[in-house]
Amino acid sequence: MGDRPEGASRASAPPGAALGAAAGWVGYTPRTMRPSGIKLIAQNKKAYHDYHIEETLEAGIALTGTEVKSLRVGRVNLRDSYAAVEKGELFLVGVHISPYEQGNIFNHDPLRSRKLLVHARELRRLYGKVQVAGYTLVPTKLYFKDGRVKVELGLAKGKTTYDKRQTLAKKEAQRDIERAFRTRGRDE
């Protein structure tokens, strides 16, 4: 049985393991080397201030290589961006991804429209809501999920100035309550 651990069958060894074992092969497979989990790149806090976010959905995004490298460094701005349906496809408009510093003549345009990847059924449903009910699609987060860039879009309706003031007042009241609890704990 040679170099296999006791109880391991030939079927459980990856293809080419016998060939690679002589060369110091350890057990690399592309699936195990792919990053897992979620890494937040950017968040659009202003969207929550300016809009009532009623539901969210995740979409993929078509990017060039230098754009992905800029995102890994975190050089992106989601402020004043939105998603729009054009010719039956969903595009992200107004997102500023800074040019990659080590990029050359193949660097990207920072403000170009980027295609979003969603299922046709979701696109039809969103298009109906955006056209009829006066909603808009706003990106709320940009993140890496299992090594791929994803955008969280919020189906949003604009807030009035009164609503914004009311939200700020609630946050301030919550901060005052938390501050009172912290100081009360120290006095005793």
Side-chain angles (χ1 to χ4, degrees):
M1 293 296 216
D3 58 346
R4 268 182 295 193
E6 190 173 317
S9 69
R10 180 177 281 284
S12 66
L19 179 68
W25 190 81
V26 181
Y28 162 79
T29 57
R31 195 174 331 130
T32 59
M33 295 302 289
R34 183 183 298 160
S36 61
I38 294 176
K39 180 188 173 220
L40 187 65
I41 301 168
Q43 207 169 7
N44 191 357
K45 293 182 180 179
K46 192 164 174 70
Y48 287 99
H49 179 262
D50 292 343
Y51 300 98
H52 291 290
I53 307 291
E54 300 200 3
E55 67 177 90
T56 60
L57 74 122
E58 181 181 83
I61 183 169
L63 298 171
T64 64
T66 55
E67 288 174 325
V68 175
K69 289 178 180 186
S70 283
L71 290 177
R72 288 200 189 282
V73 179
R75 305 201 23 135
V76 63
N77 186 356
L78 292 176
R79 192 169 293 146
D80 299 330
S81 59
Y82 62 95
V85 179
E86 297 172 11
K87 298 180 185 173
E89 295 179 334
L90 192 61
F91 287 91
L92 193 59
V93 181
V95 173
H96 185 278
I97 299 177
S98 297
Y100 185 57
E101 291 175 1
Q102 279 80 38
N104 51 15
I105 59 168
F106 299 110
N107 236 335
H108 60 275
D109 175 26
L111 285 171
R112 75 177 183 91
S113 296
R114 293 161 179 94
K115 185 176 177 181
L116 294 176
L117 310 172
V118 294
H119 291 282
R121 181 180 50 233
E122 286 179 331
L123 181 61
R124 285 191 301 270
R125 183 179 64 85
L126 291 172
Y127 185 68
K129 286 192 176 183
V130 168
Q131 292 295 39
V132 176
Y135 287 98
T136 187
L137 290 169
V138 179
T140 56
K141 290 181 189 173
L142 194 64
Y143 54 92
F144 284 105
K145 182 178 180 183
D146 297 331
R148 303 202 189 285
V149 180
K150 302 287 182 180
V151 178
E152 182 181 87
L153 292 174
L155 189 63
K157 196 166 208 155
K159 282 185 182 179
T160 61
T161 308
Y162 170 75
D163 291 335
K164 292 178 191 177
R165 283 192 213 122
Q166 194 175 26
T167 304
L168 287 173
K170 283 181 186 176
K171 283 184 185 177
E172 188 64 35
Q174 188 64 32
R175 277 194 215 112
D176 290 342
I177 291 169
E178 289 173 5
R179 198 175 299 125
F181 276 126
R182 271 190 256 129
T183 57
R184 190 175 129 212
R186 292 181 193 158
D187 292 342
E188 293 175 0

